[in-house]
């Protein structure tokens, strides 16, 4: 699909087991999301940049994602410094926001959605959510194409998005039409699933246990991070 | 209408996530697993609609339409939003994975309220545009309010930013109200059973 731009590749990060990537992300992200110590945040940012470089990501795409976030960070810097402790807070937040985005791109956005679905099923995530993720992803492409088609049709008839009641009405009809058409699709899919004895779980999604090498990488990465954090806390007193 | 990863403080993150787990768990029980294909369509629709830009002055507006999602989906809107926001976080880096639960609450709770408002409105007035408009308007305003709450609970310094964001969402609330009203009207004309599908 055209939206997952970071999943293709054969870098060391891409070769890492998806479960390991998700676990590492969750551990690091949760720690970095709550820490307020600048040295740890700076180390985290360096590490995230390192992961991104290691994953050899599409830089143009990465840049466009970061640009959106930069706008929000800019807003923070425009408003926050006028309050007490504002500069400190703005600095902490900017570091944290960029660190977490880069970490998410390197470790999570590099995993294809279907593999994430498999991991979630193996982690005993509620079956409804797993199935919903699978089918919603499938419909994303279909609906996006259908939306493009309807929008092109509207454009050919002279539609231009603007701040007018007429424009909103057209948009509402477009969204309504999209809904009506794709729900037809969903109803037939529902019948097909029920006919084939759908129980809400995907067979054949069972993953092999993690290999020894992956366990080794995982434990050394986590203990490495813990030691770095302890070291930083010691040095910065 | 998302909080990004790393913005909220540790207590807000913890309380919000715990509350989200409870709400998501409860809503899964109220959802019918046989209707997963339909729910998936609504989830994908939410994602696609968020890609629509409407030019407004020098900037543009991204539609959220959480009020409309609430009208169409009822309790099932919560698992749908969870998946849609997860997809947005992974594919577009909008929002974030650590704040996923909080974002589900910010967008989902107003969606549930919007459904009640719409039901109440249609039973009182018999028309569909006005209740749809109200549901769309309140959906965005309440979400902006919850977002403000999350920011203010994280740091008192956020006061100005929170106010700024709330004002920025006022025009969006009106536009979403109009679009929700028209969409509900359209669905009632073309395929009324769609409103009671889930």
């Amino acid at each position: 699909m055209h939206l997952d731009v970071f999943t293709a590749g054969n870098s060391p990060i891409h070769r890492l087991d998806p479960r390991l990537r998700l676990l590492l992300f969750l551990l690091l992200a949760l720690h970095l999301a709550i820490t307020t110590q600048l040295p740890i945040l700076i180390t985290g940012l360096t590490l995230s940049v390192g992961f991104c470089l290691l994953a050899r990501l599409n830089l143009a795409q990465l840049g466009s994602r970061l640009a959106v976030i930069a706008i929000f960070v800019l807003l923070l810097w425009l408003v926050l410094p006028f309050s007490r402790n504002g500069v400190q807070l703005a600095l902490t937040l900017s570091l944290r926001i960029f660190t977490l985005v880069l970490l998410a791109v390197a470790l999570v956005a590099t995993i294809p959605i279907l593999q994430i679905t498999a991991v979630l099923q193996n982690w005993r995530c509620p079956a409804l959510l797993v199935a919903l993720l699978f089918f919603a992803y499938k419909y994303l492409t279909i609906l996006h194409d259908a939306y493009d088609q309807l929008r092109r049709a509207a454009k050919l008839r002279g539609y231009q998005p603007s701040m007018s009641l007429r424009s909103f009405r057209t948009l509402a009809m477009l969204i309504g039409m999209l809904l009506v058409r794709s729900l037809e699709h969903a109803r037939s899919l529902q019948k097909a699933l029920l006919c084939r004895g759908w129980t809400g779980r995907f067979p054949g999604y069972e993953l092999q246990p993690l290999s020894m090498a992956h366990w080794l990488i995982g434990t050394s990465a986590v203990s490495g991070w813990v030691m770095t954090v302890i070291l930083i806390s010691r040095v910065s007193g | 209408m998302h909080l990004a990863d790393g913005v909220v403080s540790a207590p807000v993150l913890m309380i919000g996530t715990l509350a989200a787990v409870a709400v998501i768990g409860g809503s899964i029980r109220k959802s019918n697993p046989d209707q997963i294909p339909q729910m998936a369509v609504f989830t994908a629709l939410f994602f696609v609609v968020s890609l629509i830009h409407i030019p407004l002055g020098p900037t543009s507006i991204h539609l959220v339409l959480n009020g409309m999602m609430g009208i169409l989906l009822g309790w099932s809107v919560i698992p749908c939003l969870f998946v849609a926001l997860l997809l947005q976080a992974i594919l577009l880096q909008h929002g974030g994975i650590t704040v996923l639960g909080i974002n589900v609450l910010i967008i989902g709770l107003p969606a549930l309220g919007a459904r009640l408002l719409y039901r109440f409105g249609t039973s009182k007035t018999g028309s569909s545009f006005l209740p749809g408009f109200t549901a769309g308007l309140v959906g965005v305003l309440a979400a902006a309010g919850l977002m403000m709450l999350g920011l203010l609970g994280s740091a008192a310094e956020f006061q100005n930013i929170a106010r700024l964001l709330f004002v920025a969402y006022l025009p969006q609330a009106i536009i979403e109200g109009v679009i929700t009203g028209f969409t509900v009207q359209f669905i009632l004309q073309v395929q009324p059973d769609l409103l009671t599908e889930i």
Side-chain angles (χ1 to χ4, degrees):
Chain A
M1 200 184 129
H2 53 287
L3 277 171
D4 34 13
V5 287
F6 299 118
T7 51
N10 191 26
S11 72
I13 298 277
H14 285 93
R15 284 198 299 269
L16 215 55
D17 191 284
R19 280 168 288 181
L20 207 57
R21 273 183 266 174
L22 279 174
L23 266 182
L24 270 182
F25 170 79
L26 287 176
L27 286 175
L28 285 175
L30 284 176
H31 181 220
L32 290 166
I34 55 175
T35 187
T36 47
Q37 287 174 281
L38 284 182
I40 293 183
L41 283 172
I42 293 169
T43 318
L45 183 62
T46 322
L47 192 66
S48 307
V49 173
F51 279 147
C52 283
L53 290 177
L54 202 61
R56 294 195 288 269
L57 298 171
N58 179 338
L59 287 181
Q61 285 288 347
L62 185 61
S64 75
R65 307 297 164 93
L66 289 180
V68 177
I69 289 145
I71 293 173
F72 179 70
V73 171
L74 193 69
L75 180 74
L76 286 181
W77 279 100
L78 285 178
V79 181
L80 277 182
F82 297 104
S83 53
R84 212 154 51 85
N85 298 332
V87 177
Q88 164 98 21
L89 184 67
L91 187 63
T92 313
L93 287 178
S94 325
L95 276 174
R96 208 195 263 157
I97 291 171
F98 277 118
T99 305
L100 288 174
V101 167
L102 289 172
L103 202 62
V105 171
L107 293 181
V108 184
T110 49
I111 313 173
I113 297 285
L114 294 184
Q115 284 189 25
I116 292 183
T117 318
V119 173
L120 288 181
Q121 174 156 320
N122 273 263
W123 284 355
R124 308 254 173 273
C125 183
L128 184 104
L129 293 180
V130 174
L132 197 55
L133 180 63
F134 177 90
F135 287 116
Y137 180 65
K138 167 192 153 70
Y139 275 118
L140 219 54
T141 327
I142 297 177
L143 254 83
H144 200 251
D145 287 347
Y147 165 67
D148 261 353
Q149 195 187 357
L150 285 169
R151 199 182 48 173
R152 238 177 296 138
K155 228 181 202 165
L156 282 173
R157 287 164 181 78
Y159 170 70
Q160 265 189 337
S162 68
M163 281 288 134
S164 67
L165 220 53
R166 192 189 162 79
S167 162
F168 296 154
R169 179 160 224 152
T170 310
L171 203 57
M173 285 181 181
L174 198 152
I175 294 169
M177 206 56 226
L178 206 57
L179 205 57
V180 170
R181 276 194 198 171
S182 30
L183 231 77
E184 270 320 300
H185 216 287
R187 281 179 187 153
S188 39
L189 177 69
Q190 181 193 29
K191 282 181 201 139
L193 279 172
L194 292 178
C195 284
R196 286 164 181 78
W198 164 250
T199 58
R201 269 184 80 80
F202 294 101
Y205 254 26
E206 272 62 39
L207 299 174
Q208 297 296 316
L210 274 181
S211 70
M212 206 53 190
H214 274 108
W215 272 112
L216 222 61
I217 296 172
T219 24
S220 45
V222 172
S223 44
W225 177 249
V226 172
M227 280 196 304
T228 316
V229 170
I230 294 174
L231 205 68
I232 292 172
S233 327
R234 283 269 170 83
V235 171
S236 59
Chain B
M1 186 141 268
H2 299 79
L3 289 175
D5 264 335
V7 177
V8 294
S9 66
V12 173
L13 189 66
M14 220 159 66
I15 295 170
T17 304
L18 282 179
V21 168
V23 171
I24 293 169
S27 65
I28 287 176
R29 287 193 183 182
K30 288 187 180 271
S31 307
N32 180 359
D34 285 347
Q35 289 183 323
I36 286 174
Q38 282 90 331
M39 286 163 70
V41 163
F42 286 113
T43 307
L45 184 80
F46 178 84
F47 188 103
V48 170
V49 160
S50 76
L51 300 174
I52 299 179
H53 301 251
I54 303 176
L56 174 68
T59 67
S60 68
I61 282 179
H62 293 267
L63 291 177
V64 183
L65 292 188
N66 56 339
M68 192 179 84
M69 297 287 288
I71 295 175
L72 292 167
L73 283 162
W75 272 102
S76 303
V77 75
I78 302 284
C80 289
L81 282 175
F82 174 84
V83 169
L85 294 175
L86 180 65
L87 284 170
Q88 283 188 337
I90 296 174
L91 297 176
L92 305 174
Q93 280 74 51
H94 289 180
I97 295 172
T98 61
V99 283
L100 188 60
I102 295 184
N103 281 332
V104 168
L105 291 183
I106 289 179
I107 299 178
L109 293 181
L112 292 174
R115 170 141 163 145
L116 290 179
L117 269 176
Y118 177 78
R119 290 264 159 111
F120 180 74
T122 41
S123 69
K124 286 281 171 209
T125 60
S127 82
S128 57
F129 179 82
L130 210 59
F133 173 82
T134 320
L137 180 94
V138 172
V140 173
L141 285 185
L146 284 177
M147 197 161 100
M148 252 175 97
L149 207 69
L151 285 175
L152 288 179
S154 299
E157 289 89 341
F158 276 136
Q159 230 177 41
N160 291 328
I161 291 219
R163 264 192 226 133
L164 208 72
L165 284 175
F166 193 80
V167 173
Y169 280 120
L170 281 178
Q172 168 145 13
I174 297 169
I175 292 168
E176 297 221 355
V178 174
I179 291 179
T180 305
F182 280 145
T183 309
V184 172
Q185 231 177 14
F186 176 83
I187 292 172
L188 276 174
Q189 282 165 0
V190 178
Q191 204 168 5
D193 58 334
L194 217 152
L195 281 169
T196 48
E197 174 94 17
I198 291 178

